[in-house]
Amino acid sequence: MINLISKLLLFVLIVSAYSSLAAQESSEYQRLAEIAVIEQKVMMPMRDGVRLATDIYRPKGDAKVPVIFSRTPYNFNPYGDGEERTRTYTSAYEAVSRGYAYVVQNERGRYFSEGKWDILGVPLTDGYDAFSWMKDQEWCNGKIGTYGCSSTAEWQMAVAALDHPSHAAMVPMGYGAGVGRVGDIYEQGNWYRGGAQQMLFTAWLYSVQHDPMAPRLPEGISTEDLRRLQRFYDMSPEYPRVDWKEGLAHLPVSEIIENQQGPKGIYEDMIQRKPNDPDWYKGGLYHDDMVLAVPSFWFCSWYDVSITPNLALFNHARKNAAPDVRDHQYLFIAPTLHCRYTRATENTIVGERSVGDARYDYDALIYGWFDYWLKGEKNDVLEKTPRVTYYTMGSNKWQTAEQWPPAAAKMETYYLDSEGGANSLYGNGKLTTTMPKTDRPDSFTYDPHNPVMSYGGNVCCTGNAVEGGSFDQQQMETRNDILVYSTPPLAEGVELTGSVECTLYISSDAKDTDFTLKLIDVYPDGTAYNLDETIQRVRYREGYDKEVFMKEGEVYKVDLTALSTSNYFAKGHQIRIEVSSSNFPRFERNLNTGGNNYDEAKGVVAHNKVHHSAKYPSQVRLPLIRN
């Protein structure tokens, strides 16, 4: 009897939940239907005959309107559960009520779209062909703006380089996985940092790449059938949930998805690519030899996985975009996690740290931008909008500048120093403006089977493996394989805004290893909040087009990929950096063998040293703004 009652209660709860969802969808749909013409599952043809599933929401009447276009690998089917789906009607209503057509489309091979999926939805011509199709519609005024965060943003840059005449403006947000190579940064879509794999893509691809055995709808299916099917069947597989804290620990890394009985796909190919593999230059990534030709409003976050390459791309666009759009590049930086702009509150907590009231009227900002470029409104948006708007943590305030970094930021060099015992929070490491005279290197043992575990950080998409944001690092700093270097308590406050550069002089008894760096704000009570982090695989210290291994007893210079932030260190605080050889599973472990790493299951212990002296001036260069 008890089991029967329990089953009945469960049934009632399920029915109630679905009824509530249906009512919400009905309400949102009806509100939108009052102002919009709704056309769902329009199969937009590409030049090779493949058709992409597209939903169109446009104002009623005969007026020609501009388009806000969102292209995504995610499921936007409004019939069903999930934030991405229930947001469709809300986003469409906002756009249509402001006089825009809102068009959302699945990349090829995703859900109802035909073809074979590849990351970033290549070929690039799909974006170009979509622009051509939309601008020829009788309801379109010929102006198209692209908009979205993360995977709905990352495809925009490479397509913008194709210079379609109707692509009038773009708003990429959290767009780092679309950045391939910019200058000396070779992240290849966030796959790498300093030549070490960022493990977020292992977890992400588990549930995104297609299982080749999964059923597909027949090509050529009619729009009428698709509209009927979408109400009860959306081709969205429910992969079993994975405990990624355990899952990402599996070795070799090439078999992680297979070990979870996940689908085989592009992961098995991508994991074998080196940072400068020719295949990175054949897909949908933007590289710095492509000429951006579109006015762009770039949105970034301090605790996003890709803040440094994002800022590098903005500066690259300011200098190297098509001449007529170089001055039409704007930047906005929020103190949030990946794509969490609108989740800021009166007391915004990022991880454990409060960064104050970080709210902002994003709709006014973005639609003001689109109104100018797509509607031709004379709203003075270019004159009224600062070139750069950024949030400074610590002082917890929005600031503006005419360039990045702000002109007031001046690089100051701080040297690593110790008495040979910078190990842990209790060691004698220090950051000083005076170069050490005697080399008393700091030594530590790095065991890839007992790595330093990630705690907070600038990350996304790793499931339960890493929680992003700022967390007190004190407990982590009790490990002897973390070297800790701190300034004395500051006699007066100082703002650090820009990119932190780091040069280490290192040695090891291993052929290859990694060196990691964290930037920390230490409060007077000892609380140590992380700001940004980076890593460098030593074999790539001379460039990503070659591998150069170490010899025991020799000292090597290693320049790490820059860190980026804006933080006010108040009086009494300390500026701290941590140096180690692992930050796992934020970054893949180096097994220290000098082998491929991706196909290896056993590592060797490395005995690593950081040298600091006049001959080996290990240092960080800090962009400081002093009153």
Side-chain angles (χ1 to χ4, degrees), residues 385-403:
T385 305
R387 177 71 58 193
V388 179
T389 301
Y390 65 98
Y391 195 86
T392 300
M393 300 173 289
S395 58
N396 297 343
K397 62 182 180 181
W398 291 104
Q399 301 200 80
T400 62
E402 284 304 308
Q403 64 183 56

Side-chain angles (χ1 to χ4, degrees), residues 16 93 118 123 181 191 231 332 430 463 552 571 608 617:
S16 176
Y93 184 88
D118 196 353
R181 179 198 64 219
W191 190 270
R231 302 183 68 86
F332 188 98
K430 57 185 177 180
E552 186 173 358
K571 179 181 178 180
N608 296 335

Side-chain angles (χ1 to χ4, degrees), residues 479-518:
R479 293 179 58 128
N480 279 332
D481 53 358
I482 298 178
L483 305 180
V484 178
Y485 303 91
S486 308
T487 65
L490 299 174
E492 59 181 21
V494 64
E495 180 183 324
L496 186 157
T497 296
S499 294
V500 175
E501 302 170 353
C502 179
T503 299
L504 298 179
Y505 289 84
I506 61 90
S507 60
S508 177
D509 63 354
K511 293 178 63 177
D512 185 43
T513 194
D514 294 339
F515 279 87
T516 63
L517 188 79
K518 281 187 183 179

